[in-house]
Amino acid sequence: MGKRNTQRKNIVMLDTDDDDNSSVSSSSTMKSDRTSVLGTEEVQLDKDSLLEQALDALYEKRGSTREKALASIIDAFNSNMQHQFLEKKFVTLLHQCLSCIKKGSSKEISLASHAIGLLALTVGCGDNAREILEDSVTPISQALKSGSESTKTVSLLECLAVITFVGGNEPAETERSMQIMWQLVRPKLGSNVVAVKPSAPVIAAVVSAWSFLLTTMDGWTLDPKDWQESISYFSGLLDKDDRSVRIAAGEALALIFEMGSLEKFTAEAKSSTNGSVQEGNKSREGLAHIQGLKAKILNQVRNLSAEAGGKGSTKKDLNSQRNLFKDVLEFLEYGYCPETSMKIGGDSLQTSTWSQLIQLNFLKRFLGSGFVKHMQDNDLLHDVFGFIPKRKYLQGVEHQMSSSEKRMYKSPNSVLNKARTQFLNKQRMMSKDRNFGRFSVNVGDEEA
């Protein structure tokens, strides 16, 4: 009843032809469209030299010097795929960044966290990504527990999400990172521990990072108690004053609905009513709670999709909220996922599930100015989104793949190539499973 014949389609145009982010280089590479291979190699040597200088500067005692070096490294990884440099300096760069997280100021920690995340996205799936994850989890977890500066905490959370997304092959590894995030907003307190109330930016970052990792998980294997706690928590966040928190919670709930988790609760509760009288009563109470929670969320989503605005709210933020919750409402009522199309250099990147949309939005925010370059040249992201750029030329010059890049990407027996295949197969299976997990919320049908 009331189904729409066509889905609302959001078109996001990102013209990169005149965008500085689509350029791959310094002014020396822009002097002529007829740059020779030799000239390109000289520019690469210059870039490697600058990166090595920045890496050396991470050993300096002065914090401000290390901060400048980290900013330079981030710029380099945003503007180009630094495979040749990483082939020689991967371990050194990783451990110097981890050292900055352990001893640096909040600004230095933020920069080092971002650099490690870029490092993971650049090396792609494989042994190096696993090394990043295993070596970084403990320092990041400790840094999250020390201090409450929002910018630092947000950067650490984003880093943890990215390195787990790339390097986490087992569900237990992903669950470990998600639990670290969850503890920031829902800590397990001892008798002598006082909870520190997280700020709105931290709450939004936790929910966003948690959702990003959830896109890689099979929700049906997770503990129903954890699911129910998270759903209730996200429902509560929809009533918060901060719009970024509401938006993050709305995306998380849409993803949970797409994975069919509330359907799982309902089916389990109904099947349990055939047990003992006491168990049956508990199951009926649980089923009533689930039905009430679904009805509450549907009402919250409907209200937020038509919110008139509030004190101090900007029109842009308000429109973003309305558009998101209109999409969520349409999905809950009719099962339609929002479709998006983003223009990257002349190529179109499309999403058709909440999982894809959440992954795209998160990585776009994380990469910032490097998003276009990575979407054009990063094979890992091509695999994640099924995106194959048609443009193989940059400013009229065919990209010359270095010997290190050939070893990393072209060898069929390389560890990276095998890992990428495994990662892509996992993505396909998850997408296939979710197509069967979609449902529309119809509270009246639950009583049947």
Side-chain angles (χ1 to χ4, degrees), residues 86-216:
L86 290 179
E87 188 175 60
K88 299 177 291 183
K89 302 290 186 178
F90 163 75
V91 174
T92 305
L93 178 57
L94 171 61
H95 288 282
Q96 283 307 114
C97 287
L98 289 175
S99 178
C100 292
I101 287 179
K102 293 173 183 177
K103 68 182 181 182
S105 64
S106 291
K107 181 179 180 180
E108 186 176 342
I109 291 172
S110 296
L111 290 167
S113 299
H114 197 74
I116 292 174
L118 287 171
L119 182 61
L121 287 173
T122 302
V123 301
C125 297
D127 290 343
N128 285 346
R130 289 191 60 76
E131 182 176 349
I132 293 173
L133 178 60
E134 289 308 309
D135 290 355
S136 303
V137 166
T138 298
I140 289 175
S141 179
Q142 292 173 344
L144 285 169
K145 295 175 183 177
S146 62
S148 56
E149 207 278 325
S150 293
T151 303
K152 179 194 79 172
T153 301
V154 170
S155 296
L156 287 165
L157 286 166
E158 291 177 344
C159 175
L160 180 59
V162 169
I163 65 176
T164 305
F165 183 81
V166 180
N169 290 344
E170 300 297 330
E173 295 169 333
T174 303
E175 287 188 52
R176 175 185 60 185
S177 294
M178 293 171 73
Q179 191 61 34
I180 292 171
M181 298 170 181
W182 194 248
Q183 287 297 309
L184 290 179
V185 293
R186 303 286 283 181
K188 293 180 180 179
L189 303 177
S191 57
N192 297 323
V193 180
V194 178
V196 177
K197 186 177 181 181
S199 64
V202 168
I203 295 174
V206 167
V207 176
S208 179
W210 188 92
S211 301
F212 177 64
L213 291 184
L214 183 60
T215 63
T216 68

Side-chain angles (χ1 to χ4, degrees), residues 18 40 116 151 186 223 242 259 285 300-301 360 396 405 411 437 447:
D18 297 324
T40 303
I116 292 174
T151 303
R186 303 286 283 181
D223 188 337
D242 188 89
M259 298 175 76
E285 290 175 3
Q300 289 174 303
V301 168
L360 179 62
E405 288 177 311
S411 172
E447 303 298 335

